Amino acid sequence: MARALPWPDDLATATDWSPALACDLWLVPLVDVLCHSPDNPLAEEIALYDQALREAGLPPVPVHGYMPGLSGDVAPVAGFDYDALHFLRRAHLLQLCGLAVTPVDVLGGEYERLLEMFETTARGSHLVWHFDHAGAYVPVDFAAPLTGEALMASGGPLGSAHGLLRELQSVAPHLGIDAANPPPAPPPPPGPTSLSEPATRPPDLAADGPFARERHVWLGLHAAATRSLAQGSMIVFS
């Protein structure tokens, strides 16, 4: 099954992650025709995010007027497997802690120890401290993920798309990526995938080098973050 936060309960089963379970990222345009509609399927989530942002002294989720051709649609923006996502989180946590970013074939106990030793650092990271099967990033700039009680009982920490993009740019050089001119992102999945379904387009481990998994996820997350900020959209994990 999909993992959630990498602390603390998941540590016991971290080495048992299934490497091919699909993780989808969707872009949801924060436009008036959707957000103010009585039929908005995300109304409860947005209200919860507004509450969390307000309690942190931040502005609410921004809602814009719909602009045909510019606002975008509700659509998948990236897809990868849960295991690869944690490979990227490991790489980012290593560089945040001033440690060498080296490739590994399996996560194993090293990742568990990193999370144990550097919990405070992990909790401050938009990339690391987030559910991998639920939750969202909103186009509001704040320093660390929001983790209020109501959020944790629902979709988990709320991340900032600005913060996520900054962290992706920070780890990029360690993966051999030029963040100012990255390669094209892999195509998104054609539609929703289930928790038990394999990722549709896994990285080519033989052709893409020792950081193939990390690069694959980085490109998908970077596409999601840049489009989130350009369009005023919310990134939703599913």
Side-chain angles (χ1 to χ4, degrees):
M1 289 298 292
R3 302 266 70 83
L5 282 185
W7 183 272
D9 295 334
D10 290 322
L11 294 178
T13 53
T15 55
D16 296 329
W17 288 333
S18 179
L21 299 183
C23 173
D24 298 343
L25 269 64
W26 288 68
L27 284 180
V28 178
L30 296 167
V31 292
D32 49 6
V33 293
L34 173 63
C35 296
H36 297 162
S37 168
D39 299 322
N40 177 12
L42 295 176
E44 291 185 5
E45 287 85 350
I46 292 175
L48 180 62
Y49 301 156
D50 279 341
Q51 176 186 343
L53 290 164
R54 183 172 61 252
E55 291 174 352
L58 295 163
V61 174
V63 177
H64 308 282
Y66 177 69
M67 300 179 66
L70 296 177
S71 297
D73 301 313
V74 177
V77 64
F80 37 76
D81 64 64
Y82 291 104
D83 197 43
L85 173 60
H86 288 283
F87 272 79
L88 177 61
R89 289 175 170 176
R90 168 193 171 271
H92 181 53
L93 188 56
L94 283 171
Q95 69 98 19
L96 280 178
C97 298
L99 302 174
V101 179
T102 54
V104 291
D105 293 326
V106 294
L107 290 170
E110 181 221 31
Y111 188 43
E112 299 174 22
R113 291 190 294 273
L114 281 173
L115 291 167
E116 290 175 332
M117 291 188 296
F118 302 108
E119 179 190 356
T120 300
T121 300
R123 285 181 177 272
S125 168
H126 293 277
L127 175 55
V128 176
W129 208 253
H130 197 274
F131 277 17
D132 59 14
H133 67 288
Y137 291 91
V138 293
V140 178
D141 197 356
F142 45 94
L146 304 182
T147 56
E149 184 176 342
L151 285 172
M152 299 307 293
S154 179
L158 179 64
S160 162
H162 297 76
L164 175 63
L165 184 58
R166 283 193 294 269
E167 294 182 24
L168 292 170
Q169 292 168 340
S170 175
V171 74
H174 299 276
L175 308 177
I177 296 173
D178 180 359
N181 187 29
T193 55
S194 69
L195 286 176
S196 60
E197 190 175 346
T200 56
R201 295 180 176 89
D204 186 337
L205 300 182
D208 294 341
F211 289 110
R213 297 178 182 89
E214 293 89 338
R215 289 169 59 90
H216 183 81
V217 178
W218 189 99
L219 292 170
L221 287 173
H222 186 263
T226 53
R227 287 181 57 185
S228 167
L229 298 180
Q231 299 175 355
S233 298
M234 180 168 63
I235 305 168
V236 177
F237 274 64
S238 69

